[in-house]
Amino acid sequence: MLSKLPYGLKNGKLIPIKKALQGLNCNCVCPECGSRLIARKGDNYIHHFAHYKESNCKGGLETALHLVAKDIIEKEKQLVLPPLKTSIGKKVIVLTKSCKVAFEQISVEVCIANIKPDLIAELKGKRILIEIAVTHFVDEVKREKIKELGFSAIEINLSKLKDGFTHDELRKQVIYSTENKSWIYNKREAELIEKYLQIEQEKHWDLKQKLLEQRKIEEQKTKKLRQAGCDIIVPDSDGNLLCPMKIHQKAQQCKKSKIILQIQSGQSWNGSIYGKGHNGNYIYINGVKIEIFPSKKTSLTKTEYQNRNKLYGQLSYIKKQAISDYGTCEACMYFGEYIEKHFTSFACKYRKNNNLAK
């Protein structure tokens, strides 16, 4: 990176060191203080301009950077505009993407109302104000004035080049880079936010309708499969799949009781035991709720408690032995079909094919 002044002013125009005559023959002055410059173009150092006489001027490089940046935009009449972003809650929304534009006209430092932007660009009959910043950035006062005027405006931050630059580096930062550009104000922002919210609302509405329609289709499909004698397998509260075939087979190993006999005969129990502990445990067989332990504080005889506790143990054993997984179920000869598109619940034909469904 260069650390010397790469540009000088000659007859009011900036010229790069490579186009200047050597020494005082360059006839250039400092862009900042106007003092006479000497073009140092020796063989042992980087070519650059320097003040001919000792000077305390420290703004020559910054002013040159500012002037060259404006000159590049004025001549090329093109720019890659930065994306327009806003925050809605904690979410950052991109309202417009970055895009390359070609301007019809560029005006340099022309007063508009009570402000003088670095450049005014004409784009499809609309004005975009362009500010070049090196160490001095647009303050809130100027920002508010720009908003009041209603012109969109961007700021190009060139502070990374304040210690020296080449023309190619500067051109890349000015024309093509977007990381160093930001919108001071965009007159379409409110309109675009409203449009975005409207689209999102429509998306949510469409999604809601699709979900309702999908749910209706799934409910009809579930009803049809159940009427045909299939069991609908849905993961329990722990995410386990409970296999009807294993439930039926493991029940055969248990000592007979009224409820166990129902399961042994092939009546439908999904394997889930509802409630907590010994307070309000119940199951469903063929859709009928059957209490294992009462939900209210009911006095049970010792024998009743022992029988219910034994039944609870048997049901817990069957449930544990009946746990399966999707891979095993899909490979099973009794696997039917998935109900939803996201492959969560599915039909099992074990009881149907073995004439156990009633």
Side-chain angles (χ1 to χ4, degrees), residues 76-92:
E76 298 204 20
K77 292 184 174 61
Q78 63 174 342
L79 212 61
V80 176
L81 296 176
L84 176 61
K85 300 179 182 180
T86 190
S87 296
I88 299 178
K90 294 182 179 180
K91 191 175 182 181
V92 177

Side-chain angles (χ1 to χ4, degrees), residues 155-169:
E155 186 170 60
I156 304 175
N157 180 354
L158 299 178
S159 60
K160 289 184 178 180
L161 302 178
K162 65 182 179 181
D163 294 325
F165 62 93
T166 65
H167 188 274
D168 288 342
E169 288 172 335

Side-chain angles (χ1 to χ4, degrees), residues 118-306:
D118 289 321
L119 301 129
I120 301 174
E122 298 282 344
L123 179 64
K124 296 179 181 179
K126 297 179 181 179
R127 291 177 174 178
I128 296 179
L129 311 186
I130 303 171
E131 294 286 356
I132 309 294
V134 182
T135 56
H136 299 91
F137 296 83
V138 172
D139 57 24
E140 284 303 313
V141 175
K142 191 170 186 178
R143 189 183 298 271
E144 288 304 313
K145 287 181 180 179
I146 291 171
K147 285 183 181 180
E148 288 174 10
L149 290 171
F151 293 115
S152 295
I154 65 167
E155 186 170 60
I156 304 175
N157 180 354
L158 299 178
S159 60
K160 289 184 178 180
L161 302 178
K162 65 182 179 181
D163 294 325
F165 62 93
T166 65
H167 188 274
D168 288 342
E169 288 172 335
L170 179 56
R171 181 175 179 273
K172 183 179 179 181
Q173 288 291 307
V174 169
I175 302 295
Y176 296 105
S177 178
T178 57
E179 294 179 357
N180 63 327
K181 294 173 187 168
S182 60
W183 288 96
I184 298 168
Y185 171 69
N186 189 304
K187 63 182 298 182
R188 293 193 61 212
E189 183 172 357
E191 172 196 338
L192 291 169
I193 290 174
E194 186 177 348
K195 185 177 180 181
Y196 169 84
L197 292 174
Q198 184 179 350
I199 291 172
E200 287 298 302
Q201 188 176 17
E202 290 173 357
K203 280 183 183 177
H204 286 305
W205 171 256
D206 289 343
L207 179 60
K208 184 179 179 181
Q209 292 302 111
K210 286 179 181 178
L211 288 173
L212 289 173
E213 290 172 8
Q214 183 63 32
R215 188 175 297 172
K216 187 177 180 180
I217 292 171
E218 290 168 3
E219 287 174 353
Q220 291 172 345
K221 191 174 182 179
T222 299
K223 184 178 179 181
K224 186 176 179 180
L225 287 167
R226 278 182 172 151
Q227 288 174 343
C230 294
D231 289 300
I232 305 302
I233 310 302
V234 181
D236 68 4
S237 58
D238 296 319
N240 296 316
L241 298 176
L242 301 172
C243 172
M245 180 176 69
K246 290 181 180 179
I247 289 173
H248 183 238
Q249 291 174 347
K250 295 302 175 182
Q252 310 304 319
Q253 302 172 8
C254 297
K255 190 173 181 180
K256 294 180 180 179
S257 66
K258 182 180 177 181
I259 294 173
I260 293 297
L261 278 170
Q262 287 180 273
I263 300 171
Q264 288 175 341
S265 68
Q267 294 186 40
S268 175
W269 173 46
N270 64 3
S272 291
I273 304 172
Y274 304 97
K276 295 182 179 180
H278 287 180
N279 181 20
N281 290 120
Y282 58 93
I283 63 173
Y284 285 95
I285 294 182
N286 283 354
V288 179
K289 182 178 180 179
I290 298 177
E291 189 178 72
I292 308 301
F293 281 96
S295 56
K296 296 180 181 179
K297 290 184 178 180
T298 305
S299 57
L300 297 172
T301 65
K302 184 177 180 180
T303 301
E304 286 176 328
Y305 180 84
Q306 287 176 341

Side-chain angles (χ1 to χ4, degrees), residues 111-122:
C111 285
I112 179 169
N114 56 349
I115 63 170
K116 184 190 282 187
D118 289 321
L119 301 129
I120 301 174
E122 298 282 344

